[in-house]
DNA sequence: GTGAAAGCGCTAACAC
DNA sequence: GTGTTAGCGCTTTCAC
């Protein structure tokens, strides 16, 4: 906790027989014509000998400039968020350090950790789908860019996906295959992105089939195990309701469904088609490969980071950032429903594209 | 970049008609019996009215205490590292902020980003499999804990897995199934963890079968696409060499192999058994589910973080940290080799446990 | 060219 | 109880 005694600019100055001002100029490369070659060499030698490094904390205090960017995400175990983080890191480019707050998606981050984040010399904040409370809490503390949801509470600039397109495409895909009774496995948090995914699909189903989703409304954590359990517990009810296709709010849910279906002996897509949203890299290698709506979390993070850097740099934020695409990827987990009479016809089980 | 004019303790002091010292005591909860209720209330009111927040940068400068922990990881797109990061966050507990450096695994992080990391009030560093150069660079700058490899260059405490156990178990599993010609798809970076995985298995194969791995030595990036390509390019050679089982250095490689095998029409495990190391959560839902050696990256991160907190707190580091377990998970991707005469016998294709 | 000195915003002795 | 006063380590005018 307590840092060992550091080497300060004063130490260097003493050894090089100059003032700390000179040391500062030199280590910051601002010594153009202002410092003689001799002095410069002496100072550099001293720096080297002592192993001096400028203390950035002191530097940030002195200059008033902060170089950190804080990222608030719910859960790095979900590849969606780690891709997003990777995108943020890339979009930030050099020159910024990235501080992470992993916040329980349900509860907002505790105020302490928020303070700690802001504490670390944070000049801007990236918040993934923050709850309204958090948005308010953040507002005014530093430039903020919101990801994956609009920020009506404080109109921060935000980046998100054209979810409508994706939801529509998925609904039409399933409808086109001949499914009419479709179940939905939702996330257990009421984030806008999940609201939209479900609501938009449901509206389309209503238009086309005269009714929305079929069977029990199920919500569960975005976690393979939780989804597997949820599916196992509800499959009977869904089947009883005649469900032939199940849409999951996120790929991770679908992974759980696939696992549980395998164990229960439910053939996918023979007996049940499964589809989802996200298109994580693993969705191409599940058994069977997953039909899903691609939402590039990497791009989302990248764009958000770029935007934040711009805003921090004083660029006026045009809140109207174009939405990122959401396009359907059809793979092996969806197929036409089995005829009611013939239990399992040809069921093209699995098989990548 | 430039923070808007901040509200300082002096502002609060002025408004509350007290000194900044008093403000400091109160906002830090050190006002036990030292401050009267009246003053306290006045100050709190002023804090509220002004929206004052203590500037952590200044605070860290003043106290000399740093609360940040820096984590250096190569690639958050690999779930192994995001699980690890999640574990670190959990192990750190409240009271520390986590700064991330995502460093190209090949090149070490550029000195600039390292400086920036250290700059941000970092009191300790967690480095995932740093190259020797990096270790030296880090040494002495702050307490360091190394993950996934020993740190002979500077004997920092480190945490890792009992890889020998896992490698042995996997070798024996394959041998026991009847495979004698086994291929190996390695990572393209020479990290010790990968060295050990391969070398230990190879040694066992030598003991048991009289020869090491069969077929071309292939190395590629730890990335699904790269592995798929690598497999597609080498499968002919492996098959020609009589390979019936392929071990991958990491699950992510195996995912690529699975995908490529599917597209090439290579039956797994009928024609080729596939196994790997890591046991990421997705390995239970691949088609077929993957036989792999479980290495809990979350636990690794958690333990490392605990250790670092201890070291930073001044606890003497007993470099001898027990290794984390590496246990084999047998799933559907491995099976006995097909007899040379009968192309595809019963091949229990897929099917989770 | 180089140094002196005044902060940056806060904490922590030590007075009063 | 509360205020005064030094710093923390650095940057940055402004003299010399």
């Amino acid at each position: 906790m307590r840092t060992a005694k550091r080497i300060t600019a004063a130490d260097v100055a003493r050894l090089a027989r100059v003032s700390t001002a000179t040391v500062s100029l030199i280590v910051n490369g601002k010594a153009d014509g202002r410092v003689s070659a001799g002095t410069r060499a002496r100072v550099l030698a001293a720096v080297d000998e002592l192993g001096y490094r400028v203390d950035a904390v002191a530097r940030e205090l002195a200059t008033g400039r902060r170089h950190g960017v804080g990222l608030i995400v719910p859960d790095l175990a979900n590849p969606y968020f780690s891709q997003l983080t990777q995108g943020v890191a890339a979009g930030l480019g050099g020159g910024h350090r990235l501080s992470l707050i992993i916040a329980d998606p349900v509860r907002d981050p505790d105020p302490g950790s928020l303070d700690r984040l802001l504490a670390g010399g944070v000049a801007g904040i990236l918040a993934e789908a923050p709850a309204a409370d958090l948005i308010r809490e953040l507002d005014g503390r530093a430039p903020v860019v919101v990801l994956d949801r609009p920020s009506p509470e404080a109109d921060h600039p935000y980046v998100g996906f054209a979810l409508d397109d994706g939801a529509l495409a998925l609904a039409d895909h399933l409808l086109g295959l001949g499914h009419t009774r479709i179940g939905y496995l939702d996330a257990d948090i009421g984030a806008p992105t999940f609201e939209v995914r479900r609501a938009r699909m449901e509206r389309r189903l209503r238009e086309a089939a005269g009714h929305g989703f079929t069977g029990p409304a199920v919500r569960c954590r975005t976690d393979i195990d939780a989804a597997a359990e949820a599916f196992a517990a509800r499959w009977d009810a869904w089947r009883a309701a005649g469900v032939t296709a199940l849409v999951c709010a996120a790929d991770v849910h679908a992974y759980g469904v696939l696992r549980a279906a395998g164990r229960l002996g439910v053939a996918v897509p023979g007996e049940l088609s499964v589809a989802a949203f996200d298109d994580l890299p693993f969705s191409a290698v599940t058994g069977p490969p997953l039909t899903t709506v691609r939402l590039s979390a990497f791009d989302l993070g990248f764009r958000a980071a770029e935007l934040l850097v711009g805003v921090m740099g004083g660029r006026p934020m045009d809140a109207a950032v174009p939405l990122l695409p959401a396009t359907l990827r059809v793979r092996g987990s969806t197929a036409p429903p089995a005829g009611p009479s013939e239990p399992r016809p040809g069921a093209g089980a699995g098989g990548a594209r």
Side-chain angles (χ1 to χ4, degrees), chain A residues 39-352:
Chain A
T39 322
R40 192 189 145 76
R42 268 201 339 276
V43 170
L44 257 17
V47 164
D48 221 64
E49 180 175 342
L50 264 26
Y52 168 72
R53 308 275 179 173
V54 344
D55 179 328
V57 172
R59 186 219 290 277
E60 296 201 336
L61 214 219
T63 59
R65 285 191 207 88
R66 304 294 144 100
H67 292 278
V69 163
L71 171 63
I72 305 177
V73 283
D75 170 24
L76 248 32
N78 183 343
Y80 179 86
F81 299 116
S82 44
Q83 302 275 158
L84 186 158
T85 304
Q86 185 84 12
V88 166
L92 244 26
H96 294 278
R97 86 185 149 264
L98 213 205
S99 292
L100 215 55
I101 287 194
I102 298 178
D104 187 308
V106 191
R107 297 190 303 277
D108 272 343
D110 66 291
S113 73
L114 226 176
D115 284 342
R116 238 176 299 120
L117 173 67
L118 276 315
V122 159
I125 300 173
L126 259 12
E128 156 68 24
D133 287 357
L134 215 207
I135 291 190
R136 267 187 296 273
E137 177 87 12
L138 250 25
D139 195 35
R141 298 252 243 154
V144 173
V145 169
V146 169
L147 290 75
D148 259 339
R149 63 158 292 182
S151 170
E153 293 82 355
D155 66 38
H156 298 116
Y158 91 101
V159 295
F161 295 102
L163 289 172
D164 278 6
D165 296 353
L168 241 51
L170 179 50
D172 287 341
H173 168 65
L174 260 14
L175 255 11
L177 247 23
H179 295 279
T180 54
R181 305 187 147 266
I182 300 173
Y184 198 86
L185 176 57
D186 208 349
D188 65 343
I189 54 170
T193 186
F194 292 124
E195 295 296 332
V196 174
R197 296 176 194 197
R198 186 182 38 61
R200 194 67 195 80
M201 283 199 71
E202 179 144 44
R203 189 141 65 86
R204 181 54 142 219
L205 294 191
R206 285 221 139 77
E207 292 167 9
H211 62 270
F213 290 111
T214 302
V218 179
R219 327 186 69 187
C220 74
R221 281 209 339 274
T222 305
D223 168 292
I224 299 183
D225 291 330
E229 253 179 62
F231 177 78
R234 304 315 187 91
W235 169 236
D236 283 343
W238 268 318
R239 180 171 49 185
V243 164
T244 57
L246 181 64
V247 176
C248 299
D251 277 11
V252 166
H253 291 122
Y255 299 160
V257 168
L258 253 23
R259 200 183 70 192
R263 293 186 184 167
L264 292 172
V266 179
V268 175
E271 190 172 354
L272 178 73
S273 283
V274 175
F277 288 82
D278 282 351
D279 192 24
L280 304 178
F282 317 102
S283 297
V285 294
T286 50
L290 192 65
T291 292
T292 182
V293 175
R294 175 159 187 73
L295 309 174
S296 172
F298 181 95
D299 291 348
L300 187 76
F302 192 93
R303 296 284 294 274
E306 280 186 331
L307 197 58
L308 182 63
V309 170
V311 174
M312 291 188 311
R315 183 182 315 154
M317 55 177 203
D318 36 330
V321 181
L323 294 174
L324 271 41
T327 57
L328 179 65
R329 293 296 218 245
V330 176
R331 298 204 184 87
S333 68
T334 48
S341 46
E342 24 177 352
R344 295 188 197 178

